[in-house]
Amino acid sequence: MRRLRYDKNIKGVSYKTSLAPDESFKSVMFAKRGKLNETLLPKLAYLKSNPIREEKKQHLIDILPYISESLWDFYRNFKTEKDTVDTYPNVSSSEDDEN
């Protein structure tokens, strides 16, 4: 695509694939056969927040001076549980037994 044009009245985007002035715009509509697609929100992965280990939260609190202050409350408000176990992707159970 070389040019994009948005028109809120038609609920779509027009585009050109070249900069040639004689090429007409093609359109992509955001509606499905007369219905607006209003279900663009992702489904929740969890019903409640997952707690982290207290030690991990403390490490996050320790690095707050190195991140944007606007994010501090996000990290400070993590819920913790003493017995929470960290899980890592692609780790076999035999490796878990060795650690």
Side-chain angles (χ1 to χ4, degrees):
M1 289 189 202
R2 299 290 182 214
R3 290 185 63 190
L4 288 173
R5 181 174 63 190
Y6 174 73
D7 184 346
K8 67 180 179 180
N9 296 322
I10 63 167
K11 306 275 192 241
V13 173
S14 300
Y15 67 94
K16 286 186 175 188
T17 56
S18 78
L19 297 175
D22 58 332
E23 181 186 5
S24 60
F25 279 92
K26 297 170 184 76
S27 295
V28 176
M29 307 307 288
F30 297 132
K32 280 187 162 180
R33 297 183 188 241
K35 292 186 344 184
L36 289 177
N37 188 359
E38 296 180 17
T39 58
L40 296 176
L41 294 175
K43 293 180 182 177
L44 292 175
Y46 304 98
L47 297 177
K48 61 179 186 169
S49 63
N50 290 328
I52 62 174
R53 291 182 303 119
E54 292 173 355
E55 179 181 315
K56 181 178 280 188
K57 182 176 180 178
Q58 186 55 51
H59 288 161
L60 292 169
I61 299 300
D62 291 344
I63 64 168
L64 286 180
Y66 302 103
I67 62 174
S68 173
E69 191 172 341
S70 65
L71 300 172
W72 288 8
D73 284 339
F74 172 78
Y75 290 103
R76 286 184 178 137
N77 291 323
F78 272 129
K79 293 185 187 319
T80 62
E81 282 185 11
K82 190 175 188 175
D83 298 329
T84 299
V85 177
D86 287 334
T87 56
Y88 301 97
N90 301 324
V91 175
S92 69
S93 59
S94 62
E95 290 175 347
D96 289 341
D97 295 339
E98 294 173 7
N99 292 330

